[in-house]
Amino acid sequence: THLWERECTLQRRHQKLVELAPSPNLSEPVRDGLVQAALTMARAQQFSSLGTFEFLVRDAQAGGDPFYFIECNPRLQVEHTVTEAVTGVDLVTTQLRLAAGETLQDVGLDPALPVRPRGQAIQVRVNMESAAPDGQILPSGGRLTVFDPPGGPGVRVDTFGYAGYETVAGYDALLAKVIVWSPGGYQGALAKAGRALAEFRIEGVETNVGFLRRLLSHPDVRANRIHTCRVALNCEMRNPTKSTAVLCP
């Protein structure tokens, strides 16, 4: 069975910054095609756990094949949170229960009745970093003197940070994931994500919170005119869009 798709088009230098579920860009025929292609590959490989199949989706005006397969990741991904937000399925728990021998029916995922997504979820990645005048991104670090993440209905923050934490240079610069869910569709989720970032107080290390706020308020992002060739705010918006189908075979 499957848990529909995510979109990861907003990237910078091949690193994901913003993830969405469901994708606001897909037509129903393309969405169904992605899901069926992923299920076909999973069945052919006798896939037996949770995984993500990645595709590049062509602009509908360009003609040709609507999408192209990239790879399969037989694991959770950083952006699994947006799938959880719109489906209500705890992917970590589900994965462990399947590995322990339970069936899809045992975990509430009947293949004959796929879970339908509701609302719109957005995740943004808060990184410890600074931007040089030429746009080069440099990792930052130090001691978190203030760390006050946002909260409230429809807001989730996954992080290891706390006031007094000393960062470790040997690890990835990702500090927190801010995930929001809104029943108001794409625009509602964008607004909620912007408010959550505005409430996020971090002192002691430089982060990309300001950059993310500008990105989410950019006219092209707000109008959903994004693809993988457009460049704005030093953010590579790569064309075509990138979608993933999340499976629980």
Side-chain angles (χ1 to χ4, degrees), residues 3-8 18-24 31 79-87 117-123 179-182 185-186 189 244 246:
L3 292 172
W4 303 99
E5 86 287 345
R6 299 187 288 260
E7 181 181 315
C8 310
V18 180
E19 293 102 5
L20 312 171
S23 170
R31 176 176 283 110
E79 62 273 20
H80 76 274
T81 57
V82 290
T83 296
E84 292 183 336
V86 297
T87 63
R118 59 184 185 87
Q120 178 74 53
I122 295 179
Q123 174 180 285
I179 307 99
V180 302
W181 176 87
S182 171
Y186 180 68
T244 59
V246 186

Side-chain angles (χ1 to χ4, degrees), residues 21-98:
S23 170
N25 291 315
L26 294 183
S27 66
E28 286 306 313
V30 172
R31 176 176 283 110
D32 290 343
L34 286 169
V35 168
Q36 292 307 315
L39 287 171
T40 297
M41 287 186 281
R43 292 180 183 123
Q45 295 299 317
Q46 298 183 325
F47 203 82
S48 61
S49 183
L50 183 148
T52 307
F53 286 72
E54 298 196 356
F55 302 83
L56 287 176
V57 179
R58 182 189 285 271
D59 189 309
Q61 306 302 317
D65 294 329
F67 57 83
Y68 302 86
F69 174 66
I70 304 174
E71 64 181 356
C72 169
N73 292 302
R75 56 172 173 78
L76 283 173
Q77 289 189 295
V78 176
E79 62 273 20
H80 76 274
T81 57
V82 290
T83 296
E84 292 183 336
V86 297
T87 63
V89 177
D90 183 328
L91 295 181
V92 177
T93 300
T94 298
Q95 169 177 259
L96 293 173
R97 290 177 64 184
L98 291 171

Side-chain angles (χ1 to χ4, degrees), residues 11 43-44 80 83 86 90 104 113 124 128 149 151 173 179 193 198 204 211 223 233 238 247:
Q11 303 186 20
R43 292 180 183 123
H80 76 274
T83 296
V86 297
D90 183 328
L104 288 171
L113 299 169
V124 292
M128 296 178 286
I179 307 99
F211 171 82
L233 296 172
R238 306 175 58 207
L247 305 186

